[in-house]
Structure formats: structure tokens, C-alpha cells
Amino acid sequence: MTFDLTPEQDQLRDAVRALGRRYGHGYFVEKAKAGEHTTELWAEAGRLGYLGVNIPTEYGGGGGGITELAIVCEELAAAGCPLLLLVVSPAIAATVLARHGTEEQRKRHLPGLADGSQKIVFAITEPEAGSNFHRLGTVARRDGDGWLLNGRKCYISGVDEAGHVLVVARTEDSSTGKLKPALFLVPADAAGLTRSKLDMEIVSPENQFLLYLDDVRVPADALLGESLDAGLPALFAGLNPERITVAAMGAGTGRYAIERASEYTATRKVWGGRSIGSHQGVSHPLAHAAVQVELARLMIQKAATLYDAGRDLEAGVAGNMAKYAAGEAAALAVDTAVQALGGAGMTTEYGVATLLGAVRAGRIAPVSREMILNFVAQHVLGQDKSY
């Protein structure tokens, strides 16, 4: 057992950290408040190969795994630039395509995902079903040589930046008559696909949308994979990378908040010239938050290692635990940082309160802390299913 990164992974961490710090949290907040996107950062990260670290080399990627992509997510977040679309496009969409797409689909989409020139977002969540694919109302029916899609999706990230939407729908199994999940690569400008922006209390340059699919016609090759049988394994292929990279982003955000607070409390002097960080009432909460973030990082490393080794069942448990731990740690770290800075903590200038909405959302999405506890109770502790 080793906790050391390889030399290549160390170099990746240092390089991504340097890139993130050149842009910084001020850039991130400025873009968000202007209603703009982090186009420059995304494009540069793509040119440098960071967006495609987990994509096979034959499609223009770095040939690494989720371990490497988690490093990218964490270090950009630790620089104050937590990019949600890293989770959606390289982690979910690229993994699903690489594992279960047809060769033609991989050749068409993976090079663009690797260099950042293309983004594919993921649409599973629905107003009534949430992310429970057993209850999805979006249905795909055969229409001649193609497919006809109808339904609604909600909380879909970054549709306004994407060329395609990877839509999870239900199709009828001709052998059983039952509905089964299938994934479709739908152009974001397809006729019948409309969107409505959701107003969120989160400072982020990446937007959330309601999607409406009204008789959206797509060709036969829009179906991901060689057949309908690819649907279920393709769907699950994206879940572990999603949880691991979301956790990495949370851990990076926690690191950023603790670093900002520690710099402030080490230099802010009151009451006789002592730094406020010399008082245990200030330093101990920050130290506690730092411990929680580091524990989350260890679980993220374990989950990514298991996933890259092909141990999917174990990675599922570890990935859920990592997401839970990082969500809690990030929320604690940001809240503790705000408190340590006092009134300054609530200002935009000091750059910690701007993350309150994002870390609170991290305890809900993409899977809530309660559902993770249900999962652990059932699959680790052997308890009966509670829902």
C-alpha cells in the first residue's frame, strides 16, 4: 500500500495547480457574476491536455484514469475554480463513451472532449423521478430508422455550453415488453429540444436548466452503444466517476477555504498584537476542518484507485463514501473559514462566502447524503432496504 503519487501524477498536480492559480477565484467569481463562462480557462486546460487525462490515447487523450482526472478537479478547485463541467463532460460523458460507445461514436466525440473543443452534458434527473432511473418519465420510441424522444429533465448543468446532451430515456424491450434504460446522444440544437434556465442561489459560471423534449427525432446512431443492451451498463459506468470527481472538487474547495482562512488568521492581529490564529477558539475549528478534508482526500484516492483497477463494486462503495465525506468536509471548511474571517468572511473580496451555495449543494447533488447513508446501511451493514 502506498499513498504516494507517481512522478507523472505529481507533475500533473503541480501543473494544474499553477494553471488554476493564474486564473484564481477572482476570475471565477467575475465570470459568474457577469453571466459568462470560464471559456479561457477551459480552453487552456484542454490545450494542455488536462481535460482528456482519462481518455484513451488513441482518441487524443492522456491514457490515464479517474485518479488523474480527480487530480485535475481537485487542484482547479483548490485554486478557487471548481468547474462542475469537469464532472459532467470528461468524467461522465467521456467515460461512458469510451467504455460503451460504438467505435464511430468514440472517434466522433472523444477527441473533442479531450482537447476541450466539445462538451457533452448529462441528462438523467427529472422533476418527478429525481435520478431514479426506474421511474424515469422520458421515453424513447422507434420512429422509422430513428428514435422519437419525449420527456422532461431538470437540474441539467451546462446545456448552454454543450454541443450534445447525453439523455437517459426508457425504451420498450421487444422481448419482455418492459421499459429499460437507454442513452442517446442528442444535439443541443435538435428540433423539439428546448430549455429554461433555473435561477440558483449559487455563485457559478455554469448554469442549470430544465429541458423539454417534445418529439425530438434522432437517427439510429444516436443510441449509445451497439444495442439497447448497452443502456444499463453505460448508465452505471458514469456513476462512480461522477461521485469520485465531485468528491475531488469538494476536497479542493475545502482546501482553498482553509488556506484563505489560515492566511488571514495568521496575519490578522488584535488584542495586544497577537494573531487571532494563536487563539484556540479560532485555530481549532480550522484544524478540525483540515482533518476532515484530509480524511476525505484519502477516501477519494482509495475510490479512484479501485475504479481504475476495474474493481467496480468496491469502487461503488468507496466512491459513495468519498462523496459523502468530501461533501461534509467542504461545507464545514467553507463555513469555518467564513466564521474565522468574521465580517470579512462575508465579503466578495475575501473569496470564501462566494462558495457557500456550492458546498451546500454538494451535500445534495449528484446524490444526497441521505441516499448515500441508505446505500452504506444496505450494502455495507447488511440492513434491509428502507425505500
Side-chain angles (χ1 to χ4, degrees):
M1 180 181 294
T2 177
F3 295 99
D4 294 326
L5 297 178
T6 66
E8 293 78 14
Q9 290 167 342
D10 264 328
Q11 292 170 8
L12 175 65
R13 186 180 292 282
D14 291 343
V16 176
R17 180 187 298 121
L19 172 65
R21 288 183 174 178
R22 279 201 289 109
Y23 284 87
H25 190 59
Y27 163 84
F28 180 88
V29 172
E30 180 183 353
K31 290 291 185 180
K33 293 195 171 184
E36 299 174 354
H37 303 304
T38 54
T39 306
E40 301 87 356
L41 173 55
W42 186 272
E44 187 166 357
R47 286 196 303 272
L48 293 171
Y50 305 150
L51 302 181
V53 289
N54 62 311
I55 293 174
T57 55
E58 58 264 39
Y59 304 106
I66 293 302
T67 298
E68 284 74 21
L69 187 58
I71 289 171
V72 175
C73 291
E74 182 182 343
E75 290 306 321
L76 286 180
C81 299
L83 301 185
L84 180 58
L85 286 188
L86 282 171
V87 175
V88 178
S89 196
I92 300 176
T95 299
V96 169
L97 276 162
R99 281 196 168 197
H100 297 285
T102 65
E103 180 61 19
E104 195 278 330
Q105 288 168 343
R106 290 194 290 265
K107 288 180 178 179
R108 188 193 315 167
H109 296 290
L110 287 178
L113 293 177
D115 66 20
S117 62
Q118 182 178 173
K119 296 174 185 174
I120 298 177
V121 297
F122 186 59
I124 181 173
T125 308
E126 295 186 358
E128 301 299 327
S131 55
N132 180 2
F133 70 86
H134 296 291
R135 301 290 182 184
L136 293 181
T138 300
V139 175
R141 293 186 174 87
R142 293 193 182 276
D143 180 50
D145 292 335
W147 295 88
L148 196 64
L149 278 66
N150 283 279
R152 292 188 300 162
K153 300 290 182 180
C154 62
Y155 303 116
I156 309 306
S157 307
V159 181
D160 55 335
E161 302 180 61
H164 287 79
V165 183
L166 188 57
V167 176
V168 183
R170 299 172 75 203
T171 63
E172 185 175 356
D173 186 335
S174 58
S175 62
T176 66
K178 295 181 179 180
L179 294 178
K180 59 192 296 185
L183 280 66
F184 294 87
L185 286 157
V186 180
D189 60 355
L193 178 63
T194 57
R195 64 180 188 242
S196 175
K197 183 182 174 184
L198 285 163
D199 291 327
M200 307 290 291
E201 295 301 323
I202 298 174
V203 178
S204 174
E206 296 158 323
N207 298 313
Q208 301 292 314
F209 292 89
L210 290 168
L211 290 188
Y212 307 92
L213 297 100
D214 298 305
D215 288 339
V216 176
R217 285 183 170 83
V218 292
D221 62 2
L223 174 68
L224 187 125
E226 299 290 350
S227 71
L228 288 175
D229 291 335
L232 191 59
L235 177 58
F236 280 113
L239 296 183
N240 286 338
E242 175 190 52
R243 281 148 176 69
I244 295 167
T245 51
V246 163
M249 190 169 65
T253 301
R255 284 173 50 204
Y256 166 83
I258 292 167
E259 180 180 344
R260 295 288 290 169
S262 298
E263 290 172 353
Y264 181 86
T265 56
T267 56
R268 171 73 167 160
K269 295 181 178 180
V270 295
W271 302 313
R274 298 181 65 185
S275 69
I276 62 173
S278 68
H279 298 282
Q280 293 176 352
V282 174
S283 63
H284 279 192
L286 285 172
H288 172 65
V291 170
Q292 301 309 306
V293 169
E294 188 61 23
L295 290 172
R297 294 181 74 206
L298 289 172
M299 184 52 76
I300 294 163
Q301 184 176 355
K302 177 179 180 179
T305 300
L306 289 170
Y307 182 83
D308 289 339
R311 295 160 66 178
D312 288 350
L313 290 178
E314 295 165 279
V317 173
N320 274 287
M321 288 184 171
K323 193 274 173 186
Y324 181 97
E328 299 298 301
L332 175 66
V334 172
D335 184 69
T336 303
V338 170
Q339 190 69 24
L341 270 67
M346 293 304 298
T347 66
T348 302
E349 176 186 357
Y350 283 86
V352 285
T354 42
L355 292 165
L356 281 169
V359 295
R360 187 61 186 83
R363 299 175 75 208
I364 300 169
V367 57
S368 72
R369 62 191 300 277
E370 290 76 19
M371 288 305 296
I372 292 177
L373 292 176
N374 283 335
F375 178 91
V376 172
Q378 181 183 349
H379 295 282
V380 178
L381 304 182
Q383 304 303 303
D384 288 339
K385 194 173 183 179
S386 63
Y387 56 95

